[in-house]
Amino acid sequence: MGRVLSGIQPSGQLTLGNYIGAMQNYVKLQHTEECYFMVVDLHAISVAQEPAKLREQSEAVAALFIAAGIDPLKANVYMQSHVRAHAELGWIMTTLSNMGELERMTQFKEKSAGKESVGAGLFVYPPLMAADILVYNSDLVPVGDDQKQHLELTRDLAGRFNSRYGEYFKIPEPYIPKVGARIMSLDDASKKMSKSNPNPGSYIALLDPPDVIRKKISRATTDSGREVKFDPASKPEISNLISIYSHCANMSVQEVEARYEGQGYGPFKKDLAEHVVSVIEPLQANYNEIRKSGEIHAILKQGAERAAAVADRTLAEVKERMGFLPPQ
Ligand code: ATP
Ligand code: LTN
């Protein structure tokens, strides 16, 4: 059994992009691997969060993990901030990082572009993510395409630690879906679908009511022409919708193209909305039940206890190797 770790920020409403790019693989991997799935609240505060919202969104993300099919008896589900070793190893990973390599991170560049003042938390976000992964000596990290570069940095930091202090960390591998690793915005297929986009029409939230989903899909930008053809270079908008269709209807891209040959965008979009709703509706029913039951708190407590047992051991070993005087 390998170790698997991943996390999602409680920085807004989870989207269909989070579900297709990351959560579906969490659900799959829990059957064969030892899994750690966190709500990464420490990462979320790299941009200012309103306290009441952060609290609500944190609980919502945890409940959505369970609603999407993560079984808390199989996988550990918990809050990043409940396992203190993350923050402490995060600092250690920051000291192993170079300014130059952090400056090259695309996510940092995008999130700081055009801002007058940029929080230092955004800059040291990637070494904290490296700590999340390495504190469990993880083998596999299921993520969407946008996290590839952070994974590369994690691998570099693990290697750097090993060469300074002796072989210790495993070098983790990303686990990225073949189709759907980058679901794009509904209003602009050059940007990824993101829960922190200020325009809610740009994303499908997992908790959007079915009629809102139908409306958002009917208003989604399409390319000129009317052919339902997967060609990301010349038809980026419709290709994105085809990827979503393919995931939600469990059909290959070719099958989707064949079904709508000669029919234009109208019928395609209508059916797409129904396929998305059919994936999201049962998830929402599970979600409502979990929130009502209040059981999420016990799940998070147990997850954090199990995770801390592993993480604390790694942290103690890392500190010993680095020459920290052990507490007596
Ligand atoms: P934010 O926009 O607030 O930075 P986000 O929506 O990108 O957040 P994260 O919490 O950063 O979400 O990402 C959680 C996981 O979901 C990551 O593995 C990420 O790669 C994946 N993911 C996020 N957006 C998409 C997307 N549009 N397509 C595929 N995967 C995605
Ligand atoms: N940076 C990730 C969230 C994240 C993460 C992790 C993902 C924080 N720690 C550890 C995988 C493993 C993002 O999706 N923005």
Side-chain angles (χ1 to χ4, degrees):
M1 233 195 204
R3 286 229 178 107
V4 170
L5 172 125
S6 197
I8 298 191
Q9 302 182 70
S11 49
Q13 291 239 16
L14 287 205
T15 71
L16 195 61
N18 296 129
Y19 181 70
I20 293 175
M23 283 161 86
Q24 275 195 330
N25 275 337
Y26 299 180
V27 175
K28 185 169 126 197
L29 288 164
Q30 69 177 340
H31 300 296
T32 53
E33 316 297 323
E34 178 184 329
C35 291
Y36 297 85
F37 299 128
M38 302 188 292
V39 182
V40 290
D41 47 1
L42 297 174
H43 277 104
I45 61 159
S46 59
V47 298
Q49 301 288 336
E50 212 238 290
K53 254 193 176 163
L54 181 65
R55 210 169 292 128
E56 164 54 28
Q57 280 162 2
S58 295
E59 199 171 323
V61 174
L64 278 169
F65 278 3
I66 309 296
I70 294 172
D71 176 353
L73 296 174
K74 289 203 166 108
N76 300 301
V77 173
Y78 55 100
M79 302 299 305
Q80 183 186 31
S81 66
H82 292 179
V83 178
R84 293 182 174 199
H86 289 271
E88 198 170 339
L89 189 64
W91 169 248
I92 291 174
M93 288 297 142
T94 298
T95 66
L96 283 177
S97 308
N98 301 318
M99 298 286 286
E101 63 194 349
L102 298 184
E103 274 160 3
R104 281 195 295 278
M105 293 291 123
T106 322
Q107 184 177 300
F108 172 71
K109 287 196 271 189
E110 282 172 4
K111 294 211 169 182
S112 57
K115 299 253 161 66
E116 219 169 82
S117 141
V118 177
L122 269 185
F123 191 61
V124 296
Y125 175 117
L128 176 59
M129 174 165 162
D132 294 342
I133 295 165
L134 299 176
V135 86
Y136 304 100
N137 241 319
S138 309
D139 299 280
L140 273 188
V141 185
V143 282
D145 194 60
D146 60 307
Q147 296 301 310
K148 243 190 196 154
Q149 197 188 26
H150 289 160
L151 241 296
E152 249 340 287
L153 176 78
T154 302
R155 291 162 59 87
D156 289 347
L157 293 175
R160 200 168 298 159
F161 181 94
N162 289 350
S163 63
R164 276 196 207 163
Y165 304 109
E167 278 309 302
Y168 181 75
F169 287 123
K170 285 193 208 160
I171 309 296
E173 297 283 343
Y175 189 87
I176 297 175
K178 286 197 183 71
V179 182
R182 199 172 174 80
I183 300 295
M184 309 314 276
S185 275
L186 298 181
D187 62 342
D188 176 0
S190 69
K191 293 193 297 202
K192 76 161 191 159
M193 184 181 283
S194 159
K195 60 173 128 67
S196 49
N197 189 317
N199 171 18
S202 71
Y203 57 76
I204 293 170
L206 294 179
L207 295 177
D208 275 342
D211 276 343
V212 172
I213 295 174
R214 292 188 181 100
K215 202 170 279 166
K216 284 183 178 180
I217 291 179
S218 79
R219 290 184 184 158
T221 311
T222 43
D223 311 280
S224 57
R226 59 186 301 274
E227 219 188 336
V228 179
K229 192 161 173 33
F230 188 81
D231 181 353
S234 68
K235 295 182 84 102
E237 313 285 345
I238 213 73
S239 300
N240 183 43
L241 297 181
I242 293 175
S243 299
I244 297 175
Y245 192 120
S246 148
H247 255 271
C248 294
N250 224 342
M251 279 165 67
S252 71
V253 165
Q254 292 74 15
E255 285 170 324
V256 180
E257 286 177 335
R259 174 167 298 183
Y260 295 97
E261 211 184 318
Q263 290 190 53
Y265 297 151
F268 165 75
K269 274 182 149 186
K270 223 176 173 143
D271 293 350
L272 169 62
E274 295 317 313
H275 284 298
V276 172
V277 167
S278 75
V279 166
I280 284 186
E281 244 174 359
L283 197 146
Q284 292 184 349
N286 294 341
Y287 173 84
N288 291 332
E289 216 168 280
I290 293 155
R291 285 304 297 265
K292 226 188 303 150
S293 76
E295 65 188 305
I296 201 68
H297 300 287
I299 292 172
L300 292 175
K301 182 163 186 268
Q302 195 183 40
E305 278 166 8
R306 291 206 212 112
V310 178
D312 289 348
R313 193 166 348 111
T314 308
L315 183 64
E317 288 171 1
V318 163
K319 287 167 78 176
E320 191 192 332
R321 279 168 184 259
M322 292 178 76
F324 282 87
L325 195 61
Q328 296 304 317

